[in-house]
Amino acid sequence: MTSMRNPNLTFIVNAIKAAGGKTPKAITEAVDAQARILEEARKARGTVQGYEALALAWANAVLEGRDPADDRDVFRAMLSNSLADGDIEYAATNAVTARAIEGITNSQDEILALLKKAFDEAGRTLTNAHSILGAISLDNTTAIFQLGPVAVQAYQDAQEARRITRLIDNGWTGMNNITQFAGSCEHVTRWADTGITTWERMRRSKDTWDMTVAGATLNLAIDRATIHQRTARIANEREERDTAPERTERAKRINYLTGTALS
């Protein structure tokens, strides 16, 4: 099957598949249309007649008393020559992609709901695996296999959950690139509603297992309001932390002055 040129659409399709959904009709129709239009573009290139043929068709129309603007032979020659002047395959594929993007945009809410359900479920799988494996690195397979069959199963489940969350996050990003439904945000912010300490520690890690080990519960944000709420929480906690020494010092001064006045 021909694939879509736009990487965002590819990310979205892969995420939907990882979430257990079906490829959107807009994509399957666009893929079929792309194959058909590329075939037609190649045919068009193969029938280019050149300027001489255009001039001949025009002259025949004039000499035979027909309006060249309404003459089918003139029109065909002009169309053929015009299509030969540019990269028709690229332009035509872009037109098909635009249709696919429109269809994906119209289905945005349903797609995001599907991705969230699967992402959060994978998060619960990671939490369960963490309760069995502890904070062990999933790369340390030697140690994991020494823990017994229950641990091995938990490890396998966690690896699959990591794969799913990675694909879904790519799809989330692809959708956001197309529609800007959430705007710009850190991956930690969209993955979970965390406190400032976890947020800062996980900011450079893009591993959902590490997030889970750090104490976060995966809860994919799929709207701008949730992103803003989480961002505001982090900003407020950062301000509270950064201004704590100043507030403590101010309280000490007030207590000192109050105590002096009372004495």
Side-chain angles (χ1 to χ4, degrees), residues 248-261:
T248 300
E249 186 61 30
R250 186 185 304 120
K252 288 180 179 179
R253 289 200 301 270
I254 292 175
N255 290 336
Y256 174 78
L257 293 174
T258 302
T260 301

Side-chain angles (χ1 to χ4, degrees), residues 155-171:
Y155 159 77
Q156 293 173 342
D157 293 343
Q159 288 289 58
E160 176 62 9
R162 288 169 89 194
R163 185 188 72 84
I164 290 173
T165 55
R166 182 174 63 254
L167 291 172
I168 289 177
D169 189 57
N170 286 340

Side-chain angles (χ1 to χ4, degrees), residues 65-66 68 91 145 173 182 188 199 228 236 254:
R66 300 190 305 275
F145 276 73
T173 302
V188 184
W199 190 90
H228 284 177
N236 291 336
I254 292 175

